[in-house]
Amino acid sequence: KAPISGGRPTGAGKTSGSLVRWLLLGFLVLSVSGPFVMHSKSVIITDDHFINEAPRVSTPVARTLEQSSDAPTERIRKPKSAILTEPPAAATVVSTTPPKTVEQDNDADKDSDDSDEAATPPQKVEQNDVGKDSDESDEGQKANADAKDQESKDDESGDKDDEEDSNPTKDATDALIATSKAGAVWQNDHDMVHIIYSRFMQHQPNLVKLGLARLELFKTFCFPSISQQTNQQFLWLIRTDPELHPTLKDGLIDALQGMPNVAVIGSNEVKKGSVDRGWRSENATGDITEESLFYGSMELIQSYHEAVDQRTLLETNLDADDGLGLTFVERAQNLTFARFQELAASKQTTNLAFDRKDAWINLCVGRHLEWQFYAPWDKTTTKGSLHVGSTHICVTPGLSWATQPHARARFVKQHHLVKKNTPACDDPKQAKAPFLGCWVEIPVPGDDVMAIRARTPTSTGMNRVVMSESEWTPEEEATDRESWPLLDPSFAIPQPLVETSHKYLSDHLQDLVEENLKGQCTKDHSCSEGIKKKLKALFFQGGKWQNKHDLVHVVHTFHPFSALAASKYFSFEAMESQTTYEFLWIIYVKDASSNYVYRNQMTKRPEKSGLDVLVVQTDGPVSSTVDFRSPEAISIFSNHTLLYGEMSLLESFHQAAQTRTVLETQLGANEAITKTFVADLQNETAKRWQDDANNDKSWYYHCTSEYYEWRPFNPANMEEESETGFWNMVTPPKVEKCVERPGTTRIVGPKATLPSAYDALELEPCSPDEERTGCFVDTGKPDGARAMIPGLVKDKNPLKLSPRGLSLLVANQKNLREDVTAAFNVYMDKPRVRAIRDKMKKHETDTIPEPIGQQPADSSSPLESTRNLETSIAPARSNLTVTTALDTWKNDYDIVHILYSRFMQHQPNLLELGKARLELFKTFCLPTISHQTNPQFLWIIRTDPELNPILKDGLLESLQGMENVAVIGSNEVRKGSVDNGFRNKKAIADITPESIFYGNLDLVLSFQEATAGRIVLETNLDADDGLGLTFMETTQSLAKTTFEKIPSKDGWFNFCVGRHLEWQYFAPWDKNTDKGSFELGRTHICVTPGLSWATQPNAVPHFTVMHHMIKKTTPACMESNKPYLGCWMEIPAPRPQDPMAIRARTPTSTGMNGVKVTHEGGWGPRAKALDDESWPLLEPDLAISEALVKSSHKYLKDHLSLLVAENLKGQCTEDHSCGEGIKKKLKSLFFEKGSWINKHDLVHVLHMEVPEKLNLSKLFVGWEPVESQTTYEFLWILYVDPHIDRDSMNSLMKRLRKSPTNVVAFQTDQAPTTSFRDAETLTSLPTRRLLFGEMSLVQSYHEASQNRTLLETSLRANEAITKTFVGDIQNKTFDQLGQFGSSDWYYQCVSLYLEWRHETPRGVPPAHGFASIAKRPSEHCTDRPGTTLITMPEAKIPDGWTKEDSKPCGNEPRTGCYTQSGERNGARALLPGIVDVPIAYQGQGGLERVTQDQPNLREDLHENFAVERYSLREMVKTLNGID
């Protein structure tokens, strides 16, 4: 069972054919009459033939092929029987036409991708080109295939007779599989390879009911549209779970009977054309074996994989419940062929080798249909409804990836971002790099459609699934009527088949929805509560009482205004996550008639909940002693205003309660119950009543034994805030009664009578032997949770913790948070905690505050209504919010000028970093803008919607008095370079009454409206930079005069700042500086402060998006042959020495580019003179006082460690960098090199040997992992072989000079064999052998080790440790110190480690080498990478001891033994002549598994060891040179 390997079909790629092709293509290019014009008859050259195509008009080739007779102009239907009865053997005939390839289109599960809640990251597959020639003839291949099939049958016959006898469906299945495995080979008229990928029930093999429904949809929508494609030259790969239930497996294979170009694979892998070279990869067929091939021809698959070498590849995605237009394959292949031919024809040179065949594009479906199970306009529909799908994204059905042989494709992986993040291929700005990462839409004639998507309750993500109660328009109903006639001619889908599928779904709706719920949390599927809620709503028909146990369950919640924030995250989350919705939830609120915000929130959330909910106004909670079934209960509601819900719902439950057992649960707004609480309690109650009919007269309380408490503050210090709050488990004391706990439920039998008055607090525990009447029972488990909000709930159980107890509580927070999230769906992150604290600060008592706004009056104008709303609720957002007098656009130059800034986006809770950035904003940014000589512009500052209140208030306070500024709570990024800038309505789509923190919405709207017919000028300014005071005046005046020269009003260009200053926190000439230093910024690029985009009304701009590429890729306006149509102009300064911008370059910067991180560094007199000349310019040119700069410098100095630590935290947040180089630069700021330091009072030394034969200039294994450690509190000693070559030595010194660590290097044959603590070790390292570093550093660590625990880690230069290795082992050692004696010593070694070599076991040098997990039973633990000797202060190691003498540690004192880390935290590069251990795998299968796992192993090296892929590539190249 050999794996599918390289090779090409016989006759493909002949040398003579290739030579003829090149010569003839040369002649063809010489005959071209113009840049994109060909003669009337074009010739397509293949290896063996000329194919004369139909005459073409003189237009670009792509347009010719798309619109000419090559593209089908009418739907050509092949009869289904013709396709399915066609003898499979026919596929083995080798065509006399050249081999053909099929493009491949691939995507993961549509619903998972579409749903934000269910986004599933694609698996990565590394691929390498395959280029082996096949010597076998076609007849030989067929003979081999027949022999393999017979051998396989013979093997199985002896072992599985019994199994076959017991499985009546197996004979039929085997017959189908045998039929499908008839020999066949790839062929394609366009000489391309086309693969279609589908997935079916992966990771869900035994959800039979759901699978049958999905199989029904597959047979209705997917299979007909593919089996009857007008072009069958493709391979369809369907992957399904290897353990798929036989019923589903047989059904799937039966549906495919007779289709020769399809294969069903038992595999849970996800293959895509968007990652790692798709089908070209060696691993593309790694999961396809004789065992995994359920249906199809292995020979056909192999021929498709071999054919891809040197050919165009097309890969297409198709979910198993979607379909494609019958001409899709033909159109996609024609379009790909045409576009790539156009690219070749456009090369105006006789040297055809210039065509590198490296193009790569996406193909997207345009107009398509969505079939919905429901029809909102017809509740009794028997066929569902059809809708036109959205085309603003590339939808998953038909999404294709086309690549030429040498393409280095970097496809956008998420389908919904393709059109957003890549340009259209027809976009003029693509002319410089055509077809290198763009998208093109597959053409559709007239009003035809190219795909259909089934949107049903079987969907995983439930995205865009129409519900029965969804809103609809008459236009949608008309579209539905017009679409049904398209199904049969466009997709080969007859309407009766759709009606059959609809009936099947209707008949099995509840079963399949329940299984869809079960499958939500399986691997590669969403586990979102939002999706579960949508699914549960399908089979829960609310509006009246219903209960499968014949019980009546009511949950009562009193909701004061001050509980708004807490209820959002506690009671609402918990109730909406219940596994059953068969209960009535009644929420009691205080009089909200005068509080619009309160009333609005208390009705909006229930409306979306899917539950049976009533919201009632009342002066206080209803007495818990009142029986819900009593007339008094119903009369209470009739006397109050019902804010949400229907009285009929209340009456339905009340009537049902008269003859049934009633459960009444009391739940505070700040409380939660587990997700299974309602279902568990109902199940338990039903079972109790079923077991004993005498319970009808019982009544008792059911309460939690324990519950969780959450506090927003440190329980030991109420003044100290916590980012996520504090959780603790409460075992109720005697002072707290059962009925006072969260989720307490009273259970009353149908014949029970409650006393007219009783005190629930006085009830006693129920006796096991007596009838439960007026008593309580414990659940025996922690079913409740409560938020301890001061002023909302009285803290009867104040935490009284010792320092040790508090320490344990803090250490256990992560586990507690995870437990609560899993059980309650309650998770308290930073934004939620902050929201609760905000409410606490505003409403410290349980009282209704004064009205904060009135409900907006009705208005015929939606815009006017929005403005009224904004004005009315503005005071509720912040007492700093202002309504300015300036409310309309005005400009003397008739220009609309927008200034964009961003502040702490995606980093709302990095408080220390935010304070520092706010300080820089007030020093450098704000003064320069507030003092502009021309204030006729609008400054829009976007910040995180959940910005910490301290930062938010500080920002708004600093802007007080400015009328032309708006602060928006939004993480959107707006620029003038994309999407037509501020002219686009989307530019202010995120600016709403709720999101505007400061400013006037009318003013923003007026600026937007003013863009029509006017010049628009948009400027960028980071929040820590500033602009010259004449900037606005200069740019507006210059834009006005420049555009007056263009009467067509279609001009567009960039403004760039020229001379500008950069303020650095450090000063190289003054280590004690109190104000930093100035230097001139570079002008070879357009810097970000002041970068502007100017456009006229009729402009169609194609701005260069990346600022540093503008001057490189666009001409200066004075040099352009098309002036002011895509050029750049420098903004002139008033005087040559005046700066037009200033940049703050400090440790608060995100990218740290150009930021000095030390006082060290070369400088000359001119640099110092420039600094002296710059300070006097600050105030007159920028309105920045030197005193303010000094104040900011002092603030940064006083808080440097804190803000740098937070900058490190913020590096990997959204829209921010995550580079190890930046992190390294930041860590060096707060790590003081030069002497021993350790927060755990440990001494840690890393010993690294550097052997002679290493080429250090290309060895990246050892260096990056050490320099990427999360802590630098260690000494790194390198022992360099004296015979190392000069180049390696120079490379080593250069690297060490830049290292942020405490590092020294000695020239010596070997590392010392004695402990670093011994005096002998220091003697063996004399100063004369010191290559790099200071001897005082070594002495500092040596002295510190005399009376401290010492850790010595051994590494070679070809070995690596994980980025957290040092931090983890130091933390672990510190935590265990109390367990050791003062003389203990032992080794800690890694349990597993990665091995890497520059070639595969077969001797093939892959691009990134070959990684594997080392499994060497004979290898001593201490011989592994990163082995660490740990010695206590008084430990003595015997003379002559070697680490190989150590044995595993037991319970005795740790003396000369070893322990294992339990983790895979080491790696080793096996290098020729240094470490070259043979690879040992467990048979061929073991090697195949390791080969398939290469992408994951390389990702491990990258993510955990900081070894980049390019580093691996460089090492492979270097080591091949060694060989």
Side-chain angles (χ1 to χ4, degrees), residues 644-866:
Y644 176 81
E646 300 293 335
M647 282 299 297
S648 59
L649 174 63
L650 176 65
E651 292 165 354
S652 170
F653 270 79
H654 186 263
Q655 182 177 351
Q658 303 307 312
T659 56
R660 293 173 175 87
T661 299
V662 178
L663 295 78
E664 294 185 75
T665 299
Q666 300 293 330
L667 187 69
N670 59 310
E671 295 175 345
I673 49 179
T674 58
K675 294 185 285 188
T676 62
F677 180 93
V678 172
D680 290 346
L681 184 57
Q682 291 184 12
N683 290 339
E684 178 185 328
T685 304
K687 186 176 184 304
R688 179 175 177 79
W689 256 253
Q690 182 179 359
D691 294 343
D692 187 355
N694 294 328
N695 286 319
D696 284 356
K697 296 181 180 181
S698 297
W699 68 275
Y700 61 96
Y701 283 84
H702 184 279
C703 52
T704 61
S705 299
E706 297 177 315
Y707 60 92
Y708 294 89
E709 279 185 345
W710 177 86
R711 290 171 170 80
F713 298 100
N714 184 334
N717 181 4
M718 292 295 288
E719 300 300 322
E720 179 183 336
E721 295 185 351
S722 168
E723 289 185 341
T724 56
F726 279 81
W727 286 100
N728 65 283
M729 177 70 76
V730 177
T731 301
K734 293 182 179 179
V735 297
E736 184 181 46
K737 300 297 183 179
C738 167
V739 295
E740 297 179 293
R741 302 168 196 168
T744 293
T745 302
R746 183 179 60 197
I747 303 173
V748 182
K751 298 180 181 179
T753 302
L754 293 180
S756 57
Y758 69 93
D759 188 352
L761 297 176
E762 299 301 323
L763 299 180
E764 298 295 332
C766 296
S767 172
D769 302 325
E770 297 178 1
E771 181 181 347
R772 294 183 178 179
T773 303
C775 55
F776 68 85
V777 295
D778 284 350
T779 63
K781 50 187 177 180
D783 282 339
R786 176 180 288 158
M788 305 302 292
I789 308 297
L792 180 64
V793 61
K794 185 177 181 181
D795 196 346
K796 293 187 176 183
N797 304 313
L799 288 178
K800 297 179 181 179
L801 299 173
S802 65
R804 175 65 175 165
L806 179 60
S807 176
L808 292 174
L809 175 61
V810 172
N812 199 35
Q813 285 303 297
K814 181 179 180 182
N815 293 332
L816 288 170
R817 282 197 299 270
E818 290 175 352
D819 290 347
V820 172
T821 300
F824 297 83
N825 193 38
V826 171
Y827 61 97
M828 299 308 295
D829 56 9
K830 297 176 185 178
R832 294 181 171 208
V833 174
R834 185 173 59 255
I836 290 178
R837 288 207 193 99
D838 286 348
K839 292 293 182 184
M840 288 169 52
K841 291 176 182 178
K842 293 180 180 179
H843 312 290
E844 295 181 354
T845 60
D846 187 16
T847 59
I848 295 295
E850 292 296 320
I852 60 173
Q854 301 298 326
Q855 184 176 9
D858 292 335
S859 172
S860 58
S861 168
L863 179 61
E864 188 61 31
S865 176
T866 302

Side-chain angles (χ1 to χ4, degrees), residues 554-558 584-588 614 616 628 637 650:
V554 182
V555 180
H556 302 278
T557 297
F558 174 65
L584 172 63
W585 188 16
I586 304 175
I587 303 175
Y588 307 88
L614 296 174
V616 187
F628 177 74
F637 289 88
L650 176 65

Side-chain angles (χ1 to χ4, degrees), residues 941-952:
I941 305 172
R942 285 180 169 88
T943 187
D944 196 285
E946 304 296 331
L947 187 64
N948 187 289
I950 295 175
L951 301 179
K952 179 178 175 181

Side-chain angles (χ1 to χ4, degrees), residues 555-573 575-576 585-593 595 597-606 613-622 643 666-672 789 791-793 836 839 843 845-849:
V555 180
H556 302 278
T557 297
F558 174 65
H559 196 300
F561 177 76
S562 54
L564 270 177
S567 68
K568 182 178 179 182
Y569 310 128
F570 277 79
S571 56
F572 272 102
E573 290 284 3
M575 296 306 296
E576 292 172 357
W585 188 16
I586 304 175
I587 303 175
Y588 307 88
V589 300
K590 285 191 175 181
D591 184 13
S593 60
N595 193 322
V597 174
Y598 184 25
R599 184 170 67 256
N600 184 53
Q601 291 195 33
M602 289 312 302
T603 55
K604 180 181 281 188
R605 182 68 181 259
V613 186
L614 296 174
V615 181
V616 187
Q617 291 191 115
T618 178
D619 293 333
V622 176
L643 292 181
Q666 300 293 330
L667 187 69
N670 59 310
E671 295 175 345
I789 308 297
L792 180 64
V793 61
I836 290 178
K839 292 293 182 184
H843 312 290
T845 60
D846 187 16
T847 59
I848 295 295

Side-chain angles (χ1 to χ4, degrees), residues 1020-1040:
N1020 179 78
L1021 181 65
D1022 293 337
D1024 55 355
D1025 297 341
L1027 299 175
L1029 301 182
T1030 62
F1031 180 91
M1032 302 297 176
E1033 176 65 25
T1034 303
T1035 53
Q1036 290 183 24
S1037 173
L1038 193 55
K1040 179 71 171 179

